[in-house]
Amino acid sequence: MPSKRGKKSKFRKVLIPVLKWASAIIPVCAFIYILYYYKQFDFLKKQEVVKTETKVLSSGDSLQAGVGRSGEELAAKINITTNEWHPVGGLAIHTMELENTSATPVKSVEVEFKYLNDVQAVLTSKIVTIKTPLPAGKTTKVSGLSVGYVNNAVVGCDAKVLSARK
């Protein structure tokens, strides 16, 4: 008849490794179950490919084409009557008068400034959007317009209206 002590030690030799393995496996299984329960395994599913289709019905449907055409036609009716400027610490500050000869008021105007050196060669060119409203058939003075940094070699400036928006 085996002794009680031998049965206890054999039981302990088996029980302790089983408890060690169970204490390692049960938390991992619980963690995986929690991820499954809260649907956190979506990254394993194959995602559907999103398909987009763009159809151009006609060139008249394009908003930019319509805005671009009317902006150029409207820009031809806006004149720069005076353009006075002076450099302040490398910044070009402009005071200009814009004359709107069209029948419609204008909300914003894009003006290109070409800065020239002493031999009338273009050193830099900048495009600025002036958001001062221009009433129809009137001249509007825009003062304190800061265009940007200019070189000390700049002696002149040519301004040209590129586009306008109603």
Side-chain angles (χ1 to χ4, degrees):
M1 190 178 230
S3 70
K4 245 185 179 185
R5 186 169 191 174
K7 282 185 179 180
K8 251 187 190 180
S9 75
K10 189 175 182 184
F11 182 71
R12 283 187 184 162
K13 285 182 181 178
V14 172
L15 184 64
I16 291 176
V18 168
L19 287 175
K20 284 182 182 178
W21 278 99
S23 67
I25 292 174
I26 290 173
V28 171
C29 292
F31 180 70
I32 291 172
Y33 176 74
I34 290 170
L35 290 177
Y36 172 76
Y37 183 78
Y38 288 106
K39 296 181 173 67
Q40 297 297 314
F41 288 118
D42 292 341
F43 65 92
L44 295 175
K45 294 179 183 175
K46 187 174 181 180
Q47 294 183 359
E48 298 176 15
V49 178
V50 178
K51 296 180 182 179
T52 59
E53 186 175 329
T54 304
K55 292 182 181 178
V56 177
L57 300 175
S58 68
S59 62
D61 290 339
S62 176
L63 180 62
Q64 291 297 331
V67 169
R69 254 195 327 268
S70 65
E72 292 170 2
E73 294 170 0
L74 193 57
K77 295 180 181 179
I78 296 176
N79 302 322
I80 299 174
T81 55
T82 61
N83 179 24
E84 299 173 2
W85 71 281
H86 58 280
V88 176
L91 290 175
I93 307 296
H94 288 260
T95 301
M96 57 191 333
E97 290 184 1
L98 299 169
E99 181 184 9
N100 184 3
T101 59
S102 69
T104 60
V106 175
K107 289 184 181 176
S108 67
V109 178
E110 280 189 356
V111 180
E112 180 182 27
F113 295 93
K114 290 183 180 178
Y115 293 100
L116 311 169
N117 63 4
D118 55 352
V119 292
Q120 301 300 308
V122 177
L123 290 176
T124 59
S125 176
K126 310 223 184 219
I127 297 174
V128 175
T129 302
I130 301 172
K131 295 188 177 184
T132 303
L134 305 175
K138 293 188 178 181
T139 302
T140 305
K141 185 175 183 178
V142 179
S143 60
L145 181 66
S146 174
V147 175
Y149 292 103
V150 293
N151 196 349
N152 289 336
V154 173
V155 295
C157 177
D158 284 341
K160 175 185 171 186
V161 176
L162 294 178
S163 67
R165 294 187 182 165
K166 296 180 190 181

